[in-house]
Amino acid sequence: MPNPVVHWEMMSRDPAQVSAFYEKVFGWKIKHMPEMDYRIVEPGGEGGIGGGIFEPKQKGPWPGNLTLYVNVDDLAAFRRKIVAAGGKIHVEEQQVPGMGAFSLFTDPEGRMMGLWKAAEKK
């Protein structure tokens, strides 16, 4: 039986700032649910995996890091958007032979994330 990823969560010291960053860069729909102090993330697109952003009640350090790769159509354009929104690029572009290319960046809190562009099918 397959075990697909069906949800993800980001722990954040400032969920509002991090939510605004991802809305601005990727156009994700993020709904704040004050009664739960939780933000539901709907990335959209076919096959998109939803998630959540929240501030843990316990003090850090919080265990583990989450790195997701976000599918994009233009790595360079999204790197520019990331920098403009307050992020930092760590890997400009690296090819994965026969598969595509990726870039790595951190958001304003230093969370490592990736951009992915699949190779064009021949």
Side-chain angles (χ1 to χ4, degrees):
M1 171 184 233
N3 299 106
V5 174
V6 295
H7 187 76
W8 51 264
E9 290 183 323
M10 287 185 199
M11 295 181 208
S12 171
R13 289 187 251 351
D14 189 343
Q17 177 193 36
V18 169
S19 294
F21 175 83
Y22 287 100
E23 286 174 321
K24 184 175 183 180
V25 172
F26 297 112
W28 291 353
K29 305 286 186 241
I30 302 177
K31 179 182 177 187
H32 185 217
M33 301 178 70
E35 67 278 8
M36 295 173 51
D37 198 19
Y38 194 84
R39 286 167 168 79
I40 298 290
V41 180
E42 296 176 14
E46 189 174 322
I49 299 169
I53 300 172
F54 69 102
E55 182 175 8
K57 300 302 178 207
Q58 72 275 17
K59 292 191 186 288
W62 303 313
N65 265 333
L66 171 66
T67 302
L68 301 173
Y69 287 83
V70 180
N71 191 49
V72 299
D73 60 355
D74 185 334
L75 291 172
F78 276 89
R79 287 194 303 270
R80 288 189 297 274
K81 287 174 125 178
I82 286 163
V83 171
K88 181 178 178 186
I89 303 300
H90 294 272
V91 174
E92 288 291 329
E93 186 168 327
Q94 186 169 329
Q95 295 294 315
V96 179
M99 296 180 71
F102 70 92
S103 293
L104 292 176
F105 68 95
T106 48
D107 67 18
E109 286 189 332
R111 185 177 294 104
M112 183 68 69
M113 299 285 285
L115 299 173
W116 175 256
K117 183 174 188 312
E120 297 196 19
K121 296 179 182 175
K122 295 179 181 183

